[in-house]
Each structure stands twice: as C-alpha cells, then as structure tokens.
Amino acid sequence: MVYRTQLRRLIVFSGLLLLGFSVLLGRLVYLQVFRHDELSAKAFKHTQRTYLKQTRRGDIYDRTGSLLASTERLKILCADPSRIGDYYARLAALLAPHLGVDELALQERLRPREYTNAKGEVAIDPHVRLKVRLSEEKWAALREVIRNAELDDEEALTKDEREFLVGLKRWGIFTESVDSHRRVYLNGSLAAHVLGFVQFQEKTVGRQSVFFSQGKAGVEAVFDSHLQGVLGWRMTETDSRRRELVSLRSMDVDPVDGLNVHLTLDAGVQAIVEEELQSGVEQSRPLTATVVVMQPQTGAILALANYPSYDPNRPGDFPVAHRRNRAISDQFEPGSTFKVISIASALDGDAVTLNSQFDCENGHIFFRGRSLTDDHRYSILSVRDILKKSSNIGAFKVARRLGEDRLHAYLKRFGIGDVTGVGLPAERTGTLRGVDQWSGLSISRIPIGYEVAVTPLQMTLAMCVIANGGWLMSPMLVRHLSDHEGQIVMNYHPERIRRVIGPETAAEMTEALKTVVMEGGTATRARLEHYTVAGKTGTARKYLPGVGYTRSKYYASFIGFFPAERPEVVISVIFNEPKGSIYGGVISGPVFKAIATRLANYLNIVPSREIRLETTLPGSPGAVDYARR
C-alpha cells in the first residue's frame, strides 16, 4: 500500500517536473526562435554603444604660410550640484570672478534642485552647464583654484563632511568629454571678406553631443566640405553598469582632420592695402570703397579689401551690410575706366590706331537729340590723347567706328556680363544687354562706362588683360590644399580663359595708358617716383531711381599696373560717393600711389629701367639701390 502511494507520488511529481520542463523548453523555443530578432535588437540597443570622435576643422594660410584662421578646442565647464550641496554660495563667490559671470546667477546654477526621474524617484540634477567655451589654460587654472580653496574649516568637520568636501573638489566641477570649438581669425578683420566666418552648432547624435562647424561666407563657405573633416567613431558593447567590454569592440575608426586651405592672398600685401584704404576713407569719407590687387600673369589675388569691414571672430556684432563682399557683389556703372575696354577693342579690331585723330567738338555735341560733354574743351585729339585726357566724345567716336555688334562681341570677350569664376559666394554678373536691346543712344553711352554695370573684380580683370598681353585669366584665390601632415593633396594652377586682344594691341594700350599719369593726364597723383605706371581714371555719376543721373553722387576710381614694361601687380581703387572732390585721379589716384609705393618695397620689385636712366647721374648711387633703402 505504501509502495503504491509512493509510486503515485513519484509519477505525479515526475509529470509535474516534465510539464515544467516542457513549459520552460517551449518558452525557450519561443524566445530563442520566434522572438530571436526582436529580443536581439532590444539587447543590442541596451548594450551597444557608438561613440563619435570629433574632427578638427582645417586651417587657412596665406601664400607665405602665415596662419590666417585656425580652430581652438575649448572645454565645456559643468557642475554636479548633488556633490556641491550647501556649498553652492561659497563656490559661486569663488568661481564668478574667474568665469566673468554674475555671482548671484552662478549661485542659482549651482544650487541643488530636486526632480522626479522616470522611475518616480526624487533625485538631484547631476549635470549643469556653466560655460560652453573655456580654454585649456583657464580650465587648468580653475582646477588649481578649486583644489586649493578653503570652503570650510576642515578641522571642525566630521569624517563624512570632510569626505564630502574632498568629493566636491574632485568631482563637483568638471568638463564634458566632448570639447567645444572656436574658430580663431588671428589677424582680426584682416581679409575678412575673403576668409568669411563659421558657425558651430551642437547636435545630439544618439546620446552624445557633437559640435559641427559650417562655413557661412567667403572661403570658409566655399571650401566647407574640405575644411570640415570626417568624424571618427567607435562601436562597442557595455555591461549593465555601462562599462565598455573592450573585447567586444567591433569597430574603431579614427577621425580625419579637415584639409588646410592655402590662399594666393598675401597677409603683408593685404595689411598694406587695408591700412592705405583706411587712410583714404578718412580723407574722402565715402559710403563704401574697394581695393583689389592681382598678379596679371596668373590671375592670383594678392589682396582684396572692402570698406566697411567686420571682424569674423564676432560677425554678429556688425551689420549685415558690413559683411558684404563688395568686390564681387556690388555692380556699378564704371565711367571712364571702361574706355580702356572700348578703345582696346577698336584698336584690336583695326578700326583705329593710336595716331588716328578725332574732332572732340570743343567739349560738347548732340547725338540723337541728347548732349554728350567733356569736362574740358578739346578739339582734335589722337586716340592716345583721348585716353590721356579721358574724352567722352572721343571715346564715343572711336567706338562708333568699330560698330555696335563688334563692340558688344569684344565686351563679352573681356568678361563683361559674366561671373569671373573666382568662386566666392554671392558674385554678380554685372549687366551687359544684347545689341538688340540697345537704344539709339547706347553706342554713345556704353563706350564711356554707362548703360553697363560691372563689379570691381571684373574691371580689375579687364585691366589685367592689358597687362598680360591680351589674355583673360581666371581669378585665382587658392593655391593648394594640404592635409594635417602638410602633404599637398590638391593643386590649383593659373588658368587662361581666352585671348581677348592681340599682344600688339596690349602693348599699344600700355603705352597709351602710361600717358594718363604723366603731365597733362588725369592721374598725375598716381605717378610713382621709380616706376612707370599705366592706368586709367574714372569719375561716374550715379543713377538714382526716380531721379536719374545725379550730379551730387559719384563713383571715383583708378585702375593701374606697374612697372608698365613688365607688370607685376594690377591695383584697382574704387570709392563710392566720396566727399569733397569727385574725381578718380584726385580721390583714388593717391591711394593707388600709396599702396604701390609700399608694395614695391614689400615685393622687392625692380625699378623701371627708363626711370633709372633718367634719375641716375654719373658717380651717384643707382636708382635701384636708392629705391631699396
């Protein structure tokens, strides 16, 4: 009987045990087979971690290797109020002078504040940001201040209170593992319109904060993708305490720093240009002004400056108009500097020679019912003298002999009405209407720089055509890109766009433009002591909507190159609405001279031979030696 009872119990127990194992096995099959993908994904989500590694934005250099723009890593200063406790007021008093913030405001940031977390538990926020941008040096100094601070009488404290104070000094103030960044422009506003500026934005990727940079203007915007670099990352798994299991690290990719951009810009030339432009601005008080310096043979831009300017370290402190790169985004009717293009076109088209003579009608004529005047009364002038005296009537008659269709074709070859290809943001094309849209007066207005709009850079390139034997060059602003080890990864080379005029025409134009700065020309104030200069003045009345061409607002300009016989640099100086004198030869000519004189020494340009012969006497020091003193 006992045996049967025990047997039944054994069978029941075995059945229950078998049933339990069957349920457990079924559950395991269900979880491991039917819900395998779902549960694996959940486990992966809770244990898999991806850590981003920040990259460094590339630097920008001038052509000599001088650093113009760089990136500084900055610490993000934080506090853990749960480790600060009742010391928040004393800690705020200690830190506020070092951080440059209000003490009471800092107290509120450090004060422990309770909140209810997702589990319904009352906790104190362990992470409060105090300052996003703190340099390494300041952080090191701040740690030393905290370490040596006497926040309480430690001898009077209990053991637990002393341990709390030690924890406060060690962990109460800390920095985040991911650094912030700041773009630093080492020379302040120097070349601001070329360099541009950036904005850093904080983004959350997964659970991690990462700072991304974005170029907003100038070279920073154009080469943003090259400068940014590539983020690195590490994929790994963690245990229940979120500690990395190094053996399960599946991927570890180092970041790639951004490429460095090496410009054709010369910081020394740029500094000279900006200093002399500022001097000119103080004297003539224009609304705006622009100076461009280029190498005619390569199209390399050595300097580009605008007034007003701004500091790219703090672009938000300046009006938006100050950040406008007027050399490429402002278009204007150039006036008499445009005669260089129209007369060069007529010479190249065999319509005239430099010795061809035209009756300038004593300074006044009517054409199709409208008057055309000169500032002075001229009768018979050669084409050479038309340039020298800047006769509007003479330039009109020269262009009329060439004809509307041929003139328009030459203007297009000079690049008028097209972007220059410099690549900077917001460049405008200027305005050149098709011949079918010209009015009956256009042939008398366009050759003297009206009814046509250009940018300062377009006019600079047009003068480069004369200085470069007739070739139109693509403007060059970047020489090469290099990696963080200094290895060149991409080169940029001078590029000829097309031949505009023949070399003989360019040589003839150069000879004629040399007379502009000589006695009797319109730009005697642009003449250099030891160098021959070829250039052209411009004084253009501004067109105001609803008013027409005003006699109170002008563009005053001078564009020239030197030495004329072997041009090294082309310099354009353009003032918008100068006060006092309105003439390009009076306003812009002296600024050209001041820039050119200093550039001759800085660039070590050999003085002109013909001037050396004129100024060197037997037994006296040579002009070359004198010029280099």
Side-chain angles (χ1 to χ4, degrees), residues 2-273:
V2 174
Y3 176 77
R4 287 184 177 181
T5 301
Q6 291 176 337
L7 184 61
R8 281 199 299 271
R9 289 177 179 174
L10 179 62
I11 293 172
V12 170
F13 179 75
S14 298
L16 292 174
L17 189 63
L18 182 62
L19 179 62
F21 273 112
S22 299
V23 171
L24 180 61
L25 180 63
R27 180 65 176 171
L28 287 174
V29 170
Y30 172 71
L31 294 176
Q32 293 290 337
V33 177
F34 295 101
R35 296 190 62 191
H36 175 270
D37 293 340
E38 176 191 348
L39 296 176
S40 293
K42 284 185 177 182
F44 187 81
K45 180 179 179 180
H46 287 289
T47 61
Q48 185 81 19
R49 294 288 183 272
T50 299
Y51 297 98
L52 296 178
K53 301 180 183 180
Q54 288 200 259
T55 182
R56 183 181 183 279
R57 190 174 180 87
D59 296 330
I60 302 177
Y61 297 87
D62 81 341
R63 69 172 188 156
T64 68
S66 296
L67 187 60
L68 300 177
S70 187
T71 299
E72 180 183 2
R73 289 187 184 274
L74 300 172
K75 295 294 184 181
I76 302 175
L77 187 68
C78 302
D80 183 351
S82 67
R83 292 187 178 275
I84 294 173
D86 294 334
Y87 289 99
Y88 66 89
R90 278 170 277 185
L91 192 59
L94 177 70
L95 299 182
H98 296 278
L99 298 178
V101 298
D102 180 71
E103 182 180 332
L104 293 178
L106 185 58
Q107 275 190 32
E108 289 302 308
R109 301 290 293 163
L110 296 175
R111 184 197 301 271
R113 297 183 183 277
E114 295 182 346
Y115 72 99
T116 304
N117 61 23
K119 297 179 180 180
E121 302 170 339
V122 177
I124 295 176
D125 188 358
H127 187 279
V128 176
R129 281 187 175 182
L130 303 180
K131 195 177 183 69
V132 176
R133 294 181 172 181
L134 190 72
S135 67
E136 290 274 7
E137 295 77 11
K138 285 190 176 182
W139 168 232
L142 203 61
R143 279 187 301 181
E144 195 65 24
V145 169
I146 297 171
R147 185 181 296 116
N148 298 323
E150 295 182 3
L151 298 175
D152 209 335
D153 183 3
E154 296 189 23
E155 294 183 359
L157 300 178
T158 65
K159 180 181 177 182
D160 289 344
E161 289 171 338
R162 283 197 298 270
E163 288 180 354
F164 182 85
L165 196 58
V166 170
L168 184 157
K169 292 184 177 182
R170 183 176 297 176
W171 298 298
I173 303 297
F174 62 96
T175 59
E176 292 185 2
S177 58
V178 177
D179 292 337
S180 174
H181 295 82
R182 177 174 63 192
R183 195 65 164 168
V184 180
Y185 299 91
L186 286 80
N187 300 295
S189 61
L190 188 79
H193 294 101
V194 173
L195 298 176
F197 60 94
V198 302
Q199 287 183 350
F200 280 97
Q201 296 179 332
E202 183 179 8
K203 297 182 180 180
T204 301
V205 180
R207 299 180 180 178
Q208 184 179 354
S209 292
V210 182
F211 286 84
F212 290 89
S213 63
Q214 183 177 14
K216 304 301 290 185
V219 171
E220 294 278 23
V222 175
F223 286 86
D224 187 55
S225 60
H226 296 291
L227 288 162
Q228 274 193 22
V230 180
L231 290 172
W233 69 91
R234 183 173 74 243
M235 293 182 64
T236 187
E237 292 193 32
T238 59
D239 60 15
S240 59
R241 297 183 181 180
R242 294 188 178 182
R243 295 176 299 187
E244 182 185 3
L245 302 174
V246 179
S247 60
L248 298 179
R249 185 182 294 178
S250 60
M251 190 172 295
D252 196 355
V253 179
D254 290 330
V256 178
D257 288 345
L259 297 178
N260 303 315
V261 178
H262 299 255
L263 304 178
T264 62
L265 213 69
D266 188 306
V269 176
Q270 184 74 28
I272 290 171
V273 165

